[in-house]
C-alpha cells in the first residue's frame, strides 16, 4: 500500500477522505472521544480490512457512526428509552446497542453476526462533515492496533497504523479523550462500558439506576477484555509516590513527573489520559514502570479507572 496520507481537516481534505471511504478505503477520523478507524459499514471487504489493519479478533463487533437520528432509525429499532437518551446525548459520546433491522444492509462483520448493533452519532464537527460528505454509515473502532493505547491525536494514529490505512484526517487533539459510554438497550438499560457520558447523567435521564458491568444477569460487551490499552511498561495504580524505577503520573494533590490534572479536574484528566500513557511509556523506557495516582470513581473517573485497570491487567 502507498504511504498513509495525512489530510488536513479542510473542505478538500474532508472531500478526499470521503472519496477514499466510498471507494472501500480505511480512513482514521477525529471524534470528540478518540480517533476512529472508519470504513464503509456496508462493504464486507472494507470492514474486513479494519480487522486486519488493527489485528482485531473477528468476534469483537464495531460501532456504526451516523450523521443523524433518521439514519439510526433506519438501521436499528429504538425504544422510548433509547429515544430519550438520543435526545439528551446525541450527537455525543454515547453508544447504544440496539436491535438491528435485518434490512439495514450492514456487513455482518460489523456486528460480528449478532442481532444487535452499536450506534453512535459523534459530535466532532469534522466527523459530522465527513459523515455527511461520504453519505454512508461508517464502522469505526478506535484507530489503534488491537490491545494498545487508544489514539487522541493524528500522530498517535500514524505511530500505530502508518502504511496500513489510506489516510488520517487530522482534527487535532480529541476533547473528551476516553471512548464513548456504551449502553445495552436491547433489554433493561445496562452499562456495558463506562465512557465519555457519566453514568450519573444517564441515570438522571432514565430516572432509574443502570444495571452495571459484573451483574451476572447481563450479557458482556464482547470487546471488554481484561487486558487492553496496554503500554510497554508495567503499570501500578493508586500510587501516592514513585518508587525508584517508576514514572509517576499525578492527579490533584499527588504530583508526578507528569500529571493528569494538577487541579484534580476529571474532564482535563480524561482528555489527557491516553496521551500521558504514551508519554509515560516513552519516559519509562524498555523494562520500565509507570505509576498512576488515585482518581476518584465518580463522573468521568469511572471511565478513567476502567481504562487504567485494563492497562495494568496481566497481559495475555
Ligand atoms: O468513542 C468510541 O466509542 C470510539 C470512537 C471511534 O467512536 N470507538 C470505540 O470503538 O471505542 P471500539 O471498537 O474500540 O469499541 C467498541 C466496543 C467494543 O467493546 C465492542 O465489543 C462493543 O463496542 N460492541 C460493539 N457492538 C456491540 C454489540 N452489538 N453488542 C455489544 N457490544 C458491542
Ligand atoms: Mg478500542
Amino acid at each position: 500500500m502507498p504511504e498513509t496520507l495525512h489530510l488536513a481537516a479542510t473542505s478538500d481534505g474532508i472531500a478526499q477522505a470521503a472519496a477514499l471511504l466510498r471507494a472501500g478505503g480505511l480512513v482514521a477520523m477525529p471524534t470528540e472521544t478518540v480517533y476512529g478507524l472508519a470504513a464503509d459499514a456496508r462493504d464486507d471487504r472494507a470492514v474486513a480490512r479494519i480487522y486486519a489493519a488493527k489485528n482485531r479478533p473477528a468476534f469483537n463487533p464495531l460501532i456504526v457512526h451516523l450523521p443523524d437520528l433518521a439514519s439510526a432509525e433506519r438501521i436499528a429499532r429504538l425504544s422510548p428509552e433509547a429515544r430519550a437518551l438520543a435526545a439528551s446525548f446525541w450527537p455525543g459520546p454515547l453508544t447504544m446497542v440496539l436491535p438491528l433491522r435485518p434490512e439495514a444492509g450492514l456487513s455482518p462483520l460489523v456486528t460480528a453476526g449478532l442481532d444487535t448493533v452499536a450506534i453512535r452519532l459523534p459530535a466532532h464537527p469534522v466527523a459530522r462533515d465527513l459523515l455527511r460528505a461520504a453519505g454512508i454509515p461508517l464502522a469505526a473502532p478506535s484507530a489503534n492496533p488491537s490491545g494498545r493505547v487508544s489514539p487522541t491525536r493524528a500522530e498517535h494514529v500514524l505511530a500505530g497504523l502508518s502504511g496500513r490505512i489510506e489516510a488520517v484526517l487530522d482534527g487535532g487533539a480529541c476533547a473528551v479523550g476516553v471512548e464513548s459510554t456504551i449502553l445495552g438497550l436491547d433489554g433493561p438499560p445496562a452499562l456495558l462500558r463506562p465512557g465519555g457520558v457519566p453514568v450519573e447523567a444517564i441515570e438522571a435521564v432514565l430516572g432509574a439506576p443502570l444495571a452495571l458491568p459484573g451483574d451476572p444477569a447481563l450479557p458482556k460487551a464482547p470487546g471488554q477484555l481484561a487486558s487492553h490499552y496496554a503500554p510497554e511498561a508495567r503499570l501500578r495504580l493508586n500510587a501516592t509516590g514513585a518508587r525508584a524505577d517508576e514514572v509517576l503520573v499525578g492527579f490533584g494533590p499527588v504530583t508526578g513527573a507528569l500529571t493528569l490534572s494538577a487541579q484534580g479536574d476529571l474532564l482535563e484528566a480524561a482528555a489527557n489520559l491516553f496521551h500521558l500513557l504514551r508519554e509515560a511509556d516513552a519516559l519509562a523506557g524498555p523494562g520500565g514502570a509507570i505509576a498512576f495516582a488515585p482518581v476518584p470513581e465518580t463522573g468521568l473517573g469511572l471511565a478513567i479507572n476502567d481504562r487504567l485497570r485494563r492497562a495494568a491487567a496481566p497481559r495475555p
Side-chain angles (χ1 to χ4, degrees):
M1 177 188 292
E3 215 179 306
T4 298
L5 298 170
H6 189 157
L7 300 173
T10 57
S11 50
D12 279 358
I14 290 169
Q16 208 178 334
L20 287 167
L21 287 165
R22 279 197 304 269
L26 300 184
V27 176
M29 65 170 173
T31 83
E32 70 279 25
T33 58
V34 301
Y35 275 74
L37 181 56
D40 183 347
R42 307 162 311 172
D43 179 340
D44 289 325
R45 191 175 164 278
V47 177
R49 287 191 56 212
I50 293 182
Y51 285 98
K54 280 181 60 88
N55 251 327
R56 181 178 175 105
F59 53 75
N60 190 358
L62 306 176
I63 297 173
V64 177
H65 295 68
L66 298 170
D68 49 41
L69 190 60
S71 350
E73 299 267 11
R74 279 196 294 275
I75 285 177
R77 283 198 299 278
L78 277 71
S79 63
E81 282 157 330
R83 291 207 178 96
L85 292 167
S88 296
F89 301 115
W90 276 355
L94 174 70
T95 295
M96 295 200 256
V97 174
L98 300 162
L100 171 69
R101 290 187 191 277
E103 70 279 15
L106 296 183
S107 163
L109 290 173
V110 170
T111 54
L114 300 172
D115 55 9
T116 53
V117 60
I119 292 183
R120 172 161 118 76
L121 274 57
H124 197 296
V126 176
R128 294 175 61 72
D129 286 349
L130 180 63
L131 280 161
R132 276 190 293 264
I136 52 180
L138 295 178
S142 49
N144 51 292
S146 194
R148 311 311 303 216
V149 179
S150 295
T152 52
R153 303 181 182 198
E155 305 85 76
H156 299 166
V157 174
L158 289 169
L161 296 176
S162 188
R164 304 175 72 88
I165 65 177
E166 272 69 29
V168 57
L169 187 56
D170 193 338
C174 302
V176 176
V178 290
E179 295 87 343
S180 59
T181 301
I182 305 183
L183 292 184
L185 287 159
D186 50 332
L191 180 69
L192 302 182
R193 177 178 76 182
V197 177
V199 167
E200 296 88 335
I202 292 167
E203 290 178 336
V205 169
L206 291 174
L210 281 172
L212 295 179
D215 182 335
L218 288 178
K220 280 178 93 176
Q224 299 303 78
L225 306 176
S227 170
H228 202 155
Y229 308 101
E232 303 288 341
R234 276 169 296 119
L235 208 111
R236 186 168 68 88
L237 304 183
N238 295 315
T240 47
R243 295 178 185 156
D245 63 334
E246 285 176 342
V247 175
L248 177 64
V249 183
F251 178 81
V254 178
T255 318
L258 304 167
T259 180
L260 284 166
S261 167
Q263 282 76 45
D265 175 2
L266 289 169
L267 284 175
E268 185 187 5
N272 285 334
L273 177 66
F274 290 135
H275 185 64
L276 287 181
L277 255 177
R278 287 166 191 267
E279 266 192 51
D281 210 12
L283 283 177
I290 307 171
F292 269 81
V295 174
E297 284 278 357
T298 54
L300 286 183
L302 202 63
I304 295 170
N305 284 318
D306 170 80
R307 306 306 186 269
L308 285 175
R309 278 191 292 270
R310 288 178 211 283
R315 320 275 160 81

